[in-house]
Amino acid sequence: MERLWGLLQRAQSLSPRPSQTIYKPVEGTQQGRLEEEEEDREEGPEPPVPFCPMKLRGPEPRLSFTGRQSLGLWASAGRRAAPYLVLMALLIFTGAFLLGYVAFRGSCQACGDDVLVVSEDVNYEPGPETQQGTMYWSDLQALFLRLLGEGCLEEAIRQTSLRERVAGSAGMAALAGDIRQALSRQKLDHVWMDTHYVGLQFPDPAHPNTLHWVDEAGGQLRLEDPDVYCPYSATGNATGALVYAHYGRPGDLQHLRSLGVEPAGRLLLMRLGAISFAQKVASAQDFGALGVLIYPDPADLSQDPHKPELPSHRAVYGHVHLGTGDPYTPGFPSFNQTQFPPVQSSGLPSILAQPISADIALQLLRKLQGPEAPQEWQGRLPHSPYRLGPGPGLRLTVNNHRVSTPISNIFGCIEGRSEPDHYVVIGAQRDAWGPGAAKSAVGTAILLELVRTFSSMVSKGFRPRRSLLFISWDGGDFGSVGSTEWLEGYLSVLHLKAVVYVSLDNAVLGDDKFHAKTSPLLISLIENILKQVDSPNHSGQTLFEHVVSHNQSWDAEVVRPLPMDSSAYSFTAFAGVPAVEFSFLEDGQAYPFLHTKDDTYENLHRALRGRLPAVAQAVAQLAGQLLIRLSHDHLLPLDFSRYGDEVLRHMGSLNEFSGDLKARGLTLQWVYSARGDYIRAAEKLRKEIYSSEESDERLMRMYNVRIMRVEFYFLSQYVSPADSPFRHIFLGHGDHTLGALLDHARLLRSGGARDPKTASSRQVPGLDFQEGRFRRQLALLTWTLQGAANALSGDVWNIDNNF
């Protein structure tokens, strides 16, 4: 051993120990990079082996035989040990990496769904004005709530309600300019305006609408609100006997006929509520009526003595177009330079309609004869027997006229950093008939406050993954004209890019109850957000806890489908974009002043007993956190599996007719198969997403595109958008819808009698069951549902139809 040690020392003293530059690949985030490092030769006590020195391009010092032999000995040892050293280093690196990964994932798993790391994207960088680094969901939530609290919603609502805002008026033009300037002052990426020229209907001041008795005296019933009217009513005169028709639902009119009172050829007196003005008039037209008078019955309004009541001389405004948008350019955007064929919407009524006050209705009811109305039809007008009629003759005259009117939508956008071509849209109606405090002032104020808050968040370092699009709509009181015309103009773009629409209209109509009118895709997300927003009138409770305390099954009792009179309806039923409109409501009775001259800031504040600021703030918190999740989550939080449950629920209604259908040689098997394919496709996609890496941007975008188009899949591809603009099989109107199929199946029993709460307003009364029509309806429904299953499956080679 001592001899070997001496030989090694001698070899070291003789060796000049040159320094060599070695290039080697480095593993990690910069793979393939070559790194320089100075490496000295080392020696080890390995036994001598034959050594052939490498030829280098520089001068080589002369060594004695002994020195060369010692140098070869050490080089051989190093060459044999190198693989083991590299392997050991790799093992240490791998173990450390796995340990860190498990620890990190474990900490995130503990957070649950509510603590979403919103900045995992490596491209996310905080803004220059912020000192914080990674922003988690809790960070963004706290930042949003802090900045939102700096605003003054109450004053904005009051100021907006004081301004004239009738569509097409000079006051509306001034307000539009002010809102555009307000958006331009914020740090938005884009601000612009779209102007449409639409056909709106207004009363004629020189020839007001009138109502007369037809008898010897021929006296006129004075309308206390002569400028309250029904836009899109037919014009002219109608004379006939009066009949009381409750809410005017198809089932009500069918029941009226079964009691021996014929609605055809009569003027019908209907109560406000249950269905929209347009649906009342449409069902009256289907039953052959000549005209409709609509009044607010005290039984349908608030009875709280501590809250303000609607005066008995007030009539309620409401349009009667069974549809949305400009009815004189159906299916086309109303840009001024476009030429349109001379057509009208099929939803325009051919009969007259006029709102009247409770005082006028009381005079009419006292004149009615015939059988007494059923108990559930009785209202609360004093000293009135509520008979069905017919009563004395009336003559109704409607002189409304059409005016070509410019309306303007105002837009502001914050571009997303990763998916700027995907839009999360939030909007509010700006116009109003009358003061419109609850109708549009609240929504407009909340919209502007959210713009200010998100603009401030951007300056603090927040940047959403997807673009946020804020919109102030015009023409909303005439049937969502502004929003529908925009959808018609840009539908080819929006159905591929619009992710969700959030409506702020009718958001605060009370403070007791909460309702969400929404697509099934958004139910789970709304539930999650409700658990993070404090209840405005129950301290220490979240909104979700407050809702559940009043409703044991919140999603069945609180969640509603989007009705046609909702401003969000067109987004889903026409464009295939999931949408939501949420509202705080009075307990039991409706807010009495909506669509009247008494919808003032003062009355709204009194109706909420001074809690208007708190409720408006709760709506802003709910909408804002919804926007953060929708615009910033890596994976869109839309529950696409919910539609499987929706189909199953409707299938339960169809099942009761399976025996009748089987007797006619018909079967529902194909619909069941299509539903099964959709559920399997949804489960397969869910498993794919669960097993994928969230950091894979390309994969996440691919999943997001499939998820965001689910709503569009339920627009029937087998009917014409010009003939059936609302093609959605669950929410739309026409033979392709599941509701129409159910209505047709009900004709198999009881001579076509239908539930007044569920019957379609466009089902023609007295129509018998038609096998050929039913087969076509069944085919339309089946293949739309099957198409949704196929699209959700992904690529064509992944489709597995089980027919």
Side-chain angles (χ1 to χ4, degrees), residues 657-668 748-749 769 771 775:
F657 304 104
S658 58
D660 303 87
L661 294 172
K662 188 176 181 181
R664 291 174 174 262
L666 299 171
T667 177
L668 300 173
L748 289 166
R749 300 181 182 177
F769 183 84
E771 183 175 322
R775 287 182 182 275

Side-chain angles (χ1 to χ4, degrees), residues 73-136:
L73 219 159
W74 172 242
S76 176
R79 188 165 60 248
R80 296 180 61 183
Y84 298 99
L85 293 175
V86 172
L87 182 61
M88 183 175 295
L90 285 174
L91 288 173
I92 293 173
F93 174 77
T94 303
F97 175 81
L98 290 175
L99 183 62
Y101 177 81
V102 170
F104 177 75
R105 294 289 288 186
S107 63
C108 286
Q109 296 282 349
C111 297
D113 294 333
D114 295 341
V115 187
L116 172 69
V117 181
V118 294
S119 61
E120 287 183 336
D121 188 345
V122 294
N123 296 322
Y124 177 72
E125 294 180 1
E129 300 177 21
T130 182
Q131 300 298 320
Q132 60 190 14
T134 299
M135 296 179 69
Y136 296 88

Side-chain angles (χ1 to χ4, degrees), residues 49-211:
V49 295
F51 172 61
C52 296
M54 180 185 295
K55 292 184 178 180
L56 301 176
R57 291 187 178 181
E60 183 175 337
R62 298 174 62 89
L63 297 177
S64 65
F65 175 78
T66 307
R68 290 180 182 179
Q69 188 178 33
S70 300
L71 188 59
L73 219 159
W74 172 242
S76 176
R79 188 165 60 248
R80 296 180 61 183
Y84 298 99
L85 293 175
V86 172
L87 182 61
M88 183 175 295
L90 285 174
L91 288 173
I92 293 173
F93 174 77
T94 303
F97 175 81
L98 290 175
L99 183 62
Y101 177 81
V102 170
F104 177 75
R105 294 289 288 186
S107 63
C108 286
Q109 296 282 349
C111 297
D113 294 333
D114 295 341
V115 187
L116 172 69
V117 181
V118 294
S119 61
E120 287 183 336
D121 188 345
V122 294
N123 296 322
Y124 177 72
E125 294 180 1
E129 300 177 21
T130 182
Q131 300 298 320
Q132 60 190 14
T134 299
M135 296 179 69
Y136 296 88
W137 163 246
S138 57
D139 299 327
L140 281 180
Q141 189 180 40
L143 177 64
F144 167 75
L145 295 176
R146 176 172 63 82
L147 294 174
L148 181 68
E150 296 175 358
C152 186
L153 273 171
E154 184 178 13
E155 181 62 18
I157 295 170
R158 189 180 71 82
Q159 292 293 340
T160 304
S161 66
L162 293 175
R163 303 188 62 162
E164 180 192 7
R165 304 197 307 289
V166 177
S169 66
M172 171 55 83
L175 179 60
D178 291 346
I179 288 181
R180 184 171 185 176
Q181 289 182 8
L183 296 184
S184 298
R185 287 193 295 268
Q186 302 299 329
K187 294 180 180 179
L188 304 180
D189 296 303
H190 309 282
V191 175
W192 75 100
M193 180 184 293
D194 259 0
T195 299
H196 300 265
Y197 294 81
V198 299
L200 304 182
Q201 203 183 68
F202 296 96
D204 186 349
H207 303 90
N209 302 338
T210 60
L211 185 64

Side-chain angles (χ1 to χ4, degrees), residues 573-599:
F574 173 68
V577 176
V580 58
E581 177 183 293
F582 34 76
S583 303
F584 284 91
L585 307 170
E586 292 288 292
D587 189 8
Q589 305 298 331
Y591 173 70
F593 307 114
L594 200 63
H595 293 299
T596 72
K597 293 179 180 179
D598 292 321
D599 184 15

Side-chain angles (χ1 to χ4, degrees), residues 516-520 559-564 566 569 646 649 730-731:
K517 303 168 185 176
T518 183
S519 161
V559 177
R560 299 282 188 273
L562 286 164
M564 183 179 285
S566 166
Y569 177 81
E646 190 75 5
R649 183 172 63 85
F730 296 108
L731 294 176

